[in-house]
Amino acid sequence: MTRTIEYILDLAAPNGYLAWYPLKAIAERTGAELVVTPVFLGGMHKLTGNAPPMFRDKDVKGKVAYAALEFQRFLDRHGMSDFCMHPALPFNSILLQRILVAAQDEDERRALVDALQPAVWERNIDCGDVDAVRGVLEEGGFDADRLLAGTQEAEVKQKLIDNTSHAVERGAFGIPTVFVGKEMWFGKERLGQIEDYLSGGKP
């Protein structure tokens, strides 16, 4: 039976970009199906009391600098030379997240993540600018009118809220979070553990 890797994702999280590509490779190597559950990170932080690490850890001597070192090590190890930290971070990702919810199926949702990740974290588009986002969608061959119209639908808005609250109820508090069944992993540093688990190892 095919295992499912559920990726809890907000495109506003830089670590969400970093984990996306290795996670896709893990899914391919293990024969698992990768599905994306879009959530709103701002809402998740509000529900859990969490905060972006650069704010949460700013008064801890040495911790932010070490986090930056580990971040760069990950980029180097995975050859992510095109990554560029977004100058507007933290920014509002509600438009992008609603687009992911509005996808017509899981295949389109994964394709949207593939198109939007580099737009956000390599080209640093204005994620709240509808015209800029439309350009990315059209460039990727998506039906931009359908997807952007979907972001205004009450059902899509509510689904994003529900996804966020449900993820928190299951234990999620930040991005990237991965579920395989009821097992949860947080952080890009856990990718090896996820692959071990899918390959028959203990969690």
Side-chain angles (χ1 to χ4, degrees):
M1 183 175 67
T2 301
R3 306 293 294 274
T4 297
I5 301 171
E6 182 188 2
Y7 193 37
I8 307 297
L9 177 65
D10 187 321
L11 291 162
N15 280 313
Y17 168 97
L18 267 62
W20 172 246
Y21 301 99
L23 194 59
K24 286 176 63 180
I26 289 171
E28 184 175 349
R29 287 194 297 268
T30 61
E33 180 187 10
L34 177 60
V35 302
V36 176
T37 297
V39 299
F40 184 49
L41 184 56
M44 182 177 285
H45 282 170
K46 185 175 181 179
L47 289 170
T48 62
N50 199 3
M54 73 282 285
F55 300 138
R56 186 185 66 233
D57 300 332
K58 65 182 178 64
D59 295 324
V60 181
K61 183 176 176 60
K63 192 169 184 181
V64 172
Y66 181 75
L69 173 62
E70 289 240 306
F71 195 95
Q72 188 60 51
R73 284 173 175 164
F74 192 96
L75 290 173
D76 294 343
R77 184 163 68 252
H78 293 280
M80 297 179 178
S81 58
D82 293 329
F83 177 86
C84 183
M85 189 62 75
H86 203 296
L89 187 72
F91 52 82
N92 191 319
S93 60
I94 197 77
L95 175 62
L96 301 183
Q97 295 308 106
R98 287 177 178 170
I99 286 171
L100 294 183
V101 173
Q104 60 187 355
D105 56 30
E106 196 58 43
D107 286 340
E108 183 175 58
R109 187 170 293 113
R110 283 191 298 264
L112 283 164
V113 174
D114 276 333
L116 290 167
Q117 290 278 32
V120 175
W121 294 109
E122 296 172 16
R123 304 202 302 274
N124 295 159
I125 65 164
D126 180 344
C127 299
D129 185 323
V130 174
D131 290 336
V133 174
R134 176 185 292 277
V136 175
L137 296 175
E138 291 176 345
E139 181 183 344
F142 299 99
D143 185 342
D145 288 337
R146 170 176 57 81
L147 290 166
L148 289 169
T151 66
Q152 301 307 305
E153 294 177 1
E155 181 179 357
V156 168
K157 294 179 180 180
Q158 187 60 48
K159 180 63 174 174
L160 183 59
I161 293 170
D162 292 345
N163 281 356
T164 303
S165 60
H166 187 218
V168 169
E169 289 167 4
R170 295 158 68 198
F173 52 86
I175 307 296
T177 294
V178 172
F179 286 97
V180 178
K182 293 183 179 180
E183 295 290 338
M184 185 187 96
W185 290 265
F186 171 74
K188 62 186 183 298
E189 298 82 6
R190 309 293 179 263
L191 291 170
Q193 295 177 12
I194 295 167
E195 185 161 11
D196 287 345
Y197 181 74
L198 288 165
S199 301
K202 293 183 179 181

